Amino acid sequence: MSTKANPYENFLNVLDSAAEQDGISLNEYATFRFPERELTVNFPVHMDNGEIKMFTGYRIQHSSARGPCKGGIRFHPDVDMNEVRALSAWMTFKCAIANIPYGGAKGGITCDPSQLSRQELERMTRRYTSMISPIIGPHKDIPAPDVNTNAEIMGWLMDTYSMIEGYPVPGVVTGKSLDIGGSLGRPEATGRGVMLVASSLSQKLGLDIKDCTFAVQGFGNVGSTAALLISQLGAKVVAVSDHTAAFYCADGLNIAEMLDYCAGNNRVLSGYKADGVTEIDKNELLYTDVDFLIPAALENQITEENVSKIKAKYIIEGANGPTSYEADKILFESGKIVIPDILANSGGVIVSYFEWVQNLQSLQWSLDEVNNRLSDLLLKSFNEVFELSQERNCSMRMAAYIIALRRLVRAKNTRGLYP
Ligand code: GLU
């Protein structure tokens, strides 16, 4: 099966080469080639028109070697078993790279949320939660937002789980709203992390970020926050796109204004107009002539077929899995630097970890405390990965997987094999 059709194959290719490069035998890491537990649920939902519609959802726990499983829930028409498998495995490696005490998991429902009313979305979320409730919990597996899910949906999940248990359990989910135990800084955390690693990379390379240009694919939570924070550093974000449209301005787009526009336009960019801004083909955004490209949409955007068209020298993966295994090798050979997803977008799960710690201790940290701790943890792992990639003359993705795999293997060996 091609990696395009199966992102889990993409993960295995990277994992196997990292193990080979670091001399880790199959015996030592074979467990991490398989998800620990996979749950598929099929369930009915009452639609507003009186019909009963069947939905299929998943929750896959890739590893609990380093702690409870952790990862988001995605609502999207393309959600399937292989996608959720890959996303769950990437969470294991993301948490290991950040060195936070979690394994990895992911969930999703195959659906098009734009076709559901708010009430249908709520009923679907609650029924899905009840179906996966036997395997989630604050010490088992902690969901969070991902593509097309948000704080409100996490609130329904928290409420449903708490009703089943019979008492409030805020620590069962992260990315909740502040009123029910969410953390300050969580909504912006992934985009903030993308900004932090972009700015650290520019420092390492002796570049002044104010002289750098950026293109951002995706204007959801991650892409729009990263674009805003990067433009606030004084860099020029010259191009952004979402699934409806793409815009370019050589002097830098006004990201704050675009965010306001989206808020009043059903959360999409289409129809945006401003002086000096031109609409470009949304499929061409990846090929914009910029210093930094941030793919912050979905998987498999940069592949063997289109990699030669990428002009950016530095690629910061805001999305999970945007680059195929083959394309990644070509990017490395052509001297481009890729900050891999499991590092570049780890800000989200790092602040999820802070939210969970606050829930378990019934505390609330200040925004400064959250942001300072985020930057400490993220920049520590960024430096470790950057240094190993220099030492080994390998891509930052390889270095990230090697560091994560070493941590995973050590945890597995220390725990030993049951029974
Ligand atoms: N869905 C996000 C990710 O892919 C966040 C996961 C979490 O906070 O648990 O990293």
Side-chain angles (χ1 to χ4, degrees):
M1 198 184 284
S2 81
T3 54
K4 191 176 176 70
N6 188 349
Y8 197 72
E9 287 290 322
N10 202 17
F11 160 74
L12 287 178
N13 282 327
V14 181
L15 174 63
D16 289 342
S17 15
E20 193 188 324
Q21 287 206 22
D22 205 42
I24 299 173
S25 72
L26 184 59
N27 222 10
E28 278 185 292
Y29 80 96
T31 48
F32 304 114
R33 299 188 86 257
F34 298 85
E36 272 175 24
R37 185 180 281 121
E38 304 186 329
L39 177 63
T40 302
V41 293
N42 298 301
F43 56 94
V45 176
H46 266 295
M47 305 308 278
D48 294 344
N49 65 2
E51 270 173 38
I52 298 219
K53 192 168 173 207
M54 291 302 294
F55 287 88
T56 299
Y58 307 91
R59 185 71 187 172
I60 299 188
Q61 298 171 341
H62 175 262
S63 171
S64 59
R66 301 184 73 256
C69 299
K70 183 83 191 82
I73 288 177
R74 169 177 297 207
F75 292 171
H76 195 274
D78 293 343
V79 164
D80 66 16
M81 192 64 144
N82 278 319
E83 185 190 60
V84 181
R85 265 189 195 131
L87 289 161
S88 71
W90 290 326
M91 285 309 303
T92 299
F93 282 75
K94 198 181 294 187
C95 294
I97 264 295
N99 215 356
I100 54 179
Y102 286 139
K106 203 81 171 198
I109 302 178
T110 315
C111 67
D112 181 353
S114 70
Q115 302 303 308
L116 300 173
S117 70
R118 190 169 170 277
Q119 289 74 16
E120 289 168 341
L121 198 62
E122 176 172 355
R123 288 194 289 269
M124 182 186 77
T125 304
R126 287 186 180 277
R127 181 64 188 239
Y128 166 76
T129 305
S130 79
M131 301 289 284
I132 64 164
S133 65
I135 66 165
I136 61 171
H139 299 288
K140 290 191 203 172
D141 179 0
I142 306 111
D146 197 76
V147 174
N148 291 330
T149 53
N150 56 23
E152 184 177 40
I153 293 173
M154 297 308 112
W156 294 330
L157 193 152
M158 179 270 188
D159 183 67
T160 306
Y161 185 84
S162 300
M163 287 299 118
I164 294 170
E165 292 299 298
Y167 61 98
V169 190
V172 67
V173 67
T174 59
K176 306 175 288 294
S177 76
L178 278 180
D179 300 315
I180 54 170
S183 176
L184 290 164
R186 177 63 185 85
E188 313 84 66
T190 315
R192 175 172 289 278
V194 169
M195 176 275 284
L196 288 170
V197 295
S199 126
S200 301
L201 181 66
S202 66
Q203 275 166 27
K204 295 254 185 231
L205 300 172
L207 302 168
D208 184 344
I209 199 148
K210 293 192 175 68
D211 300 332
C212 295
T213 52
F214 285 75
V216 182
Q217 182 201 38
F219 209 63
N221 173 274
V222 180
S224 67
T225 310
L228 182 69
L229 296 175
I230 286 166
S231 68
Q232 286 170 354
L233 293 178
K236 281 197 186 92
V237 180
V238 298
V240 303
S241 69
D242 69 5
H243 64 286
T244 65
F247 296 93
Y248 179 86
C249 177
D251 295 331
L253 294 156
N254 184 337
I255 303 296
E257 188 187 280
M258 294 180 98
L259 271 163
D260 281 348
Y261 175 81
C262 277
N265 190 46
N266 229 348
R267 299 207 184 89
V268 293
L269 282 169
S270 101
Y272 175 74
K273 281 188 181 58
D275 282 351
V277 174
T278 44
E279 180 156 7
I280 56 171
D281 180 348
K282 63 183 192 299
N283 301 314
E284 297 290 311
L285 181 119
L286 291 174
Y287 320 130
T288 315
D289 194 358
V290 281
D291 302 308
F292 285 79
L293 172 66
I294 304 182
L298 293 170
E299 301 93 73
N300 250 307
Q301 300 299 303
I302 306 175
T303 62
E304 243 177 325
E305 286 84 60
N306 67 358
V307 64
S308 61
K309 296 202 249 173
I310 304 281
K311 297 189 193 74
K313 295 181 274 304
Y314 315 110
I315 297 162
I316 320 278
E317 296 183 334
N320 289 310
T323 312
S324 76
Y325 177 68
E326 294 80 12
D328 197 44
K329 281 207 284 198
I330 299 170
L331 289 171
F332 179 66
E333 280 154 16
S334 59
K336 297 190 192 282
I337 298 182
V338 180
I339 305 189
D341 48 5
I342 57 168
L343 175 62
N345 70 32
S346 63
V349 74
I350 290 174
V351 177
S352 274
Y353 164 55
F354 298 158
E355 180 175 331
W356 178 75
V357 167
Q358 291 170 79
N359 292 156
L360 296 185
Q361 301 188 337
S362 303
L363 287 176
Q364 184 159 80
W365 299 354
S366 69
L367 183 59
D368 276 351
E369 177 151 18
V370 170
N371 285 345
N372 292 338
R373 283 179 184 258
L374 165 63
S375 133
D376 287 351
L377 270 187
L378 185 58
L379 297 184
K380 185 166 186 288
S381 49
F382 173 83
N383 286 329
E384 283 168 351
V385 172
F386 188 80
E387 274 155 32
L388 187 67
S389 75
Q390 298 282 301
E391 207 179 292
R392 290 280 180 99
N393 190 25
C394 68
S395 68
M396 286 185 72
R397 189 182 321 275
M398 246 334 108
Y401 271 79
I402 289 173
I403 294 171
L405 188 56
R406 285 179 186 165
R407 288 185 182 145
L408 284 157
V409 167
R410 274 206 306 274
K412 180 189 73 79
N413 288 345
T414 308
R415 288 178 60 165
L417 216 57
Y418 170 88

